[in-house]
């Protein structure tokens, strides 16, 4: 928390249709991770601001028009938001890049995906049947199961895909007719603030969309525990997710958790039998591990490779990792940005150091790069790092590093490959590379992860559910299940010919 002398503090708390400063007057500088310099100052909200925002969201839900707005109108509004995102794509993409340390191209892709999420949920609700009639066994009974909005949704998001993660919550919550209060990561709030303005511009009624910028321990914790919040949807680390679930428990609110991952990328030798196959598998392993400097929940951070091809594969992977062009994401030709913060880089350094002590062999990276015109000295850069000869007892293999580090383990048989890939307390995503279609389906069926890619890595579809097994979370985002998170289910049983039951004789 700090006061900036040069930058004007913005009012970034939106409650009941008004932009405000923090009640306490506190502010926070937002740093560009490429040079550690502040580029914005936002309100540093606390519990009091959360209470105001929740009261506004509660009023808008209990008394406002949004929950009862016809679904076609709700869908039309979501489509208008998608159009506004497309209109502002360049500006938002650049802002996301600066805030989260991405390349501008990654920022643009993020905004396209955000617009897709709004369109997907618009189409999903607009095309739905209004309820499911169930057979009650009598023509005198009309029985229907309907879905209703939950109420006030609390949303807490991380810094790696700030607006994308927010959109996976905001779009289904609004499609279902809820109101919400969102708390973006305190270090990357800028695009979430911007999207609130777009929602207002699209015509969302007052009090439906609210935001409180501020830290997790106060703003996030208050959102999780507040009795007037009906659901808390959290994306972030597993440790914070457990705290959210604990804070939410006494009020028995619904909890959705999208947490960390330690994702295996399993490569069978048959996938590398041709030069083209080898090149594709290496290229995608590079992408799996190093896109956005590995700060991706589904990063392919564990390369699990058949022993016979390990040397050739890892040599090529390391050669290409060394060539990745690191720098400020807004500079031409840069392929990878910095880590998001000094704290995040220190964590990565700690893991690499511990891996080397435990016997890992460094094949590339393992250090900060030299500064260059594209890489300011104070930026939080770290070289793409390949650690060979790893094993499952190492911390770097077991825990989520969330940085540009890939570990290499080997197997000899399909059973060994599956056992290694499943040997994690997480279960978010995993990849399988093989030219054998039967093996691909067999292995995919045995992996205990929420998304399995066969001969690919990283793509997701808004119409397919996203989420984790094990400590990677509870619930799903995207797809029909991602909408269901934001709804209550109600059974309406109507007796068309009521008569006494005479259970009691008197
Ligand atoms: P984090 O857990 O530190 O923070 C996430 C959010 O939670 C932030 O807004 C933070 O302020 C808030 N928070 C922190 N403590 C809190 C508390 N006690 N109560 C309520 N809120 C609290 O995570 P991060 O470092 O911002 O993000 C990285 C993590 O997010 C990684 O573990 C990554 O795997 C995970 N992630 C998961 C997915 C997914 O889809 N499963 C997607 C993106 C990121």
């Amino acid at each position: 928390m700090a006061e900036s002398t040069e930058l004007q503090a913005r009012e970034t708390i939106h409650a009941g249709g008004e932009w405000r400063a923090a009640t306490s007057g506190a502010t926070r500088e937002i740093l560009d991770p490429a040079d550690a310099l502040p580029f914005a100052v936002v309100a540093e909200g606390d519990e009091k601001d959360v209470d105001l925002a929740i009261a506004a969201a509660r009023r808008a839900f209990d008394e406002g028009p949004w929950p009862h707005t016809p679904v076609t109108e709700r869908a039309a509004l979501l489509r208008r938001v998608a159009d506004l995102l497309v209109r502002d794509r360049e500006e938002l993409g650049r802002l996301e890049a600066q805030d989260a340390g991405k390349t501008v191209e990654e920022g643009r892709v993020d905004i396209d995906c955000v617009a897709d999420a709004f369109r997907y949920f618009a189409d999903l609700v607009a095309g739905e049947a209004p309820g499911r009639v169930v057979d009650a066994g009598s023509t005198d009974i009309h029985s229907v199961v309907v879905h209703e909005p939950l109420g006030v949704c609390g949303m807490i998001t991380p810094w790696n895909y700030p607006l994308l993660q927010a959109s996976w919550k905001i779009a289904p919550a609004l499609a279902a007719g809820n109101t919400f209060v969102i708390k973006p990561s305190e270090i990357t709030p800028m695009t979430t603030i911007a999207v609130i303005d777009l929602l207002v511009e699209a015509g969302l009624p007052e009090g439906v969309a609210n935001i409180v910028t501020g830290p997790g321990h106060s703003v996030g914790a208050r959102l999780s525990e507040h009795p007037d919040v009906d659901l808390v949807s959290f994306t972030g680390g597993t440790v914070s997710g457990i705290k959210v679930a604990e804070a939410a428990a006494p009020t028995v609110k619904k909890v959705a958790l999208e947490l960390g991952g330690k994702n295996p990328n399993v490569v069978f030798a048959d996938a590398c039998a041709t030069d083209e196959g080898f090149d594709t598998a290496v290229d995608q392993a590079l992408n799996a591990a190093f896109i956005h400097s590995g700060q991706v929940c589904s990063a392919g951070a564990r390369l699990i490779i058949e022993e016979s091809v390990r040397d050739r594969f890892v040599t090529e992977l390391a050669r290409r990792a060394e060539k990745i062009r690191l720098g400020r994401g807004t500079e031409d030709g840069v392929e990878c940005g910095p880590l998001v913060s000094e704290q995040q880089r220190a964590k990565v350094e700690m893991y690499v150091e511990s891996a080397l002590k435990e016997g890992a062999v460094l094949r590339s990276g393992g250090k900060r790069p030299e500064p260059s015109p594209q890489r300011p000295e104070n930026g939080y850069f770290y070289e793409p790092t390949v650690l060979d000869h790893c094993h499952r007892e190492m911390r770097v293999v077991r825990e989520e590093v969330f940085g540009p580090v890939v570990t290499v383990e080997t197997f000899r048989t399909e059973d060994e490959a599956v056992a290694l890939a499943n040997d994690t307390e997480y279960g978010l995503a995993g990849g399988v590379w093989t030219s054998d279609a039967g093996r691909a389906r067999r292995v995919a069926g045995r992996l205990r992860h929420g998304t399995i890619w066969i001969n690919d890595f990283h793509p997701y579809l808004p119409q397919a559910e996203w989420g984790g097994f094990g400590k990677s979370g509870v619930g799903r985002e995207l797809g029909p299940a991602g909408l269901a998170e934001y709804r209550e289910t109600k059974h309406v049983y109507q007796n068309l010919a009521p008569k006494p039951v005479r259970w009691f004789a008197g």
Side-chain angles (χ1 to χ4, degrees), residues 155-161 165 168-169 183-188 214-224 232 234-245 247 257-263 295-299 340 343-344 347 400 402 426 428 466-468 472-473 477:
M155 303 170 178
I156 302 172
T157 50
W159 48 258
N160 62 333
Y161 286 87
Q165 297 303 331
W168 292 8
K169 303 182 191 305
K183 186 209 99 60
S185 166
E186 54 274 41
I187 57 176
T188 59
H217 64 81
S218 54
V219 175
R222 183 70 179 144
L223 260 184
S224 310
V232 60
F234 172 88
T235 303
T238 298
V239 171
S240 313
I242 292 169
K243 288 185 187 156
V244 166
L257 302 172
E258 292 292 334
L259 308 178
K262 190 71 196 181
N263 313 288
Q295 301 167 111
V296 183
C297 52
S298 53
V340 78
Q343 191 191 10
Q344 193 59 26
K347 185 176 153 203
E400 187 184 41
F402 224 57
Y426 294 109
L428 189 59
W466 176 265
S472 287
E477 297 200 301

Side-chain angles (χ1 to χ4, degrees), residues 78 82 129 138 140 209 307 311 390 437 448 480 504:
L78 292 190
S138 161
D140 287 344
E307 203 170 88
D311 285 344
C390 291
R448 303 279 303 156
F504 300 107

